[in-house]
Amino acid sequence: MPSGWHITTGPAAIFYDSSRSASGEYRLEAETMLFDPGNRREGYGILFGGSDLDGPDQTYTYFLIRRDGRYLVKRREGSATSVLQDWTPHPAIVTWEGREEGEDTARNVLGVRVGSNNVILQVNGRNIALLSRAGMPTDGIVGLRVNHSVDLRVTRLDIEQTDEGQ
């Protein structure tokens, strides 16, 4: 689709280009536009720190939001996942019900700022969570994770190296 990707999932999926990776201190940002989700509360968002994404030992961290204004952070290692931050509401997330009148999408910009000590999660320019970088692999392939039966447009996925020392 011009200026981005239109993603419609059946089962959950990850989308990435193995040549796109980030390491050290960096910012990752994606602009998303959720189309009518019906009654589903499935998540969508960013993956980072990915490796072996085509294999059975795939690993990555993912930061998702969903239609009801909640976010989640999980780590996937092979077939196992661990919750780093369970579904938590935050007012910075534009909900499906809270989108602009007359709009057919709920637009949100998701950001991950990886510093020397911390990982800051952002939505629409606001910090929504601060996690310790210790024990959280952050270097590796970046991309998108979209759960079951989601209709989404992603206009960009930007990576910028930084030296923020956070």
Side-chain angles (χ1 to χ4, degrees):
M1 168 175 248
S3 73
W5 309 273
H6 187 166
I7 300 169
T8 304
T9 57
I14 58 174
F15 302 91
Y16 62 92
D17 174 344
S18 60
S19 69
R20 298 206 60 200
S21 64
S23 62
E25 298 178 29
Y26 63 90
R27 292 181 192 173
L28 177 63
E29 190 172 271
E31 180 180 39
T32 65
M33 296 175 193
L34 176 67
F35 293 99
D36 188 354
N39 293 324
R40 297 176 306 282
R41 293 187 308 161
E42 295 294 334
Y44 57 93
I46 298 174
L47 75 83
F48 57 100
S51 64
D52 193 28
L53 297 181
D54 289 328
D57 296 324
Q58 64 181 259
T59 62
Y60 57 90
T61 302
Y62 54 106
F63 164 41
L64 306 181
I65 62 172
R66 67 184 190 195
R67 67 167 288 156
D68 64 356
R70 294 176 184 264
Y71 72 95
L72 168 83
V73 185
K74 288 180 95 172
R75 179 79 185 149
R76 181 178 181 131
E77 297 177 279
S79 61
T81 59
S82 55
V83 176
L84 304 177
Q85 175 69 53
D86 206 355
W87 287 110
T88 304
H90 198 281
I93 301 168
V94 175
T95 65
W96 177 252
E97 291 74 14
R99 69 193 185 282
E100 295 286 324
E101 187 174 333
E103 290 293 318
D104 62 352
T105 65
R107 179 189 171 276
N108 284 285
V109 177
L110 285 75
V112 175
R113 292 176 48 199
V114 177
S116 58
N117 299 311
N118 299 308
V119 175
I120 298 172
L121 305 178
Q122 299 177 315
V123 175
N124 299 320
R126 291 180 55 193
N127 295 350
I128 66 167
L130 174 68
L131 303 170
S132 173
R133 185 174 176 176
M136 181 192 310
T138 55
D139 293 350
I141 298 169
V142 302
L144 304 168
R145 167 146 177 146
V146 183
N147 283 355
H148 313 277
S149 301
V150 175
D151 190 7
L152 183 70
R153 180 172 180 209
V154 179
T155 60
R156 61 187 170 83
L157 180 64
D158 299 330
I159 308 165
E160 177 187 3
Q161 289 299 134
T162 64
D163 184 17
E164 297 182 357
Q166 53 183 340

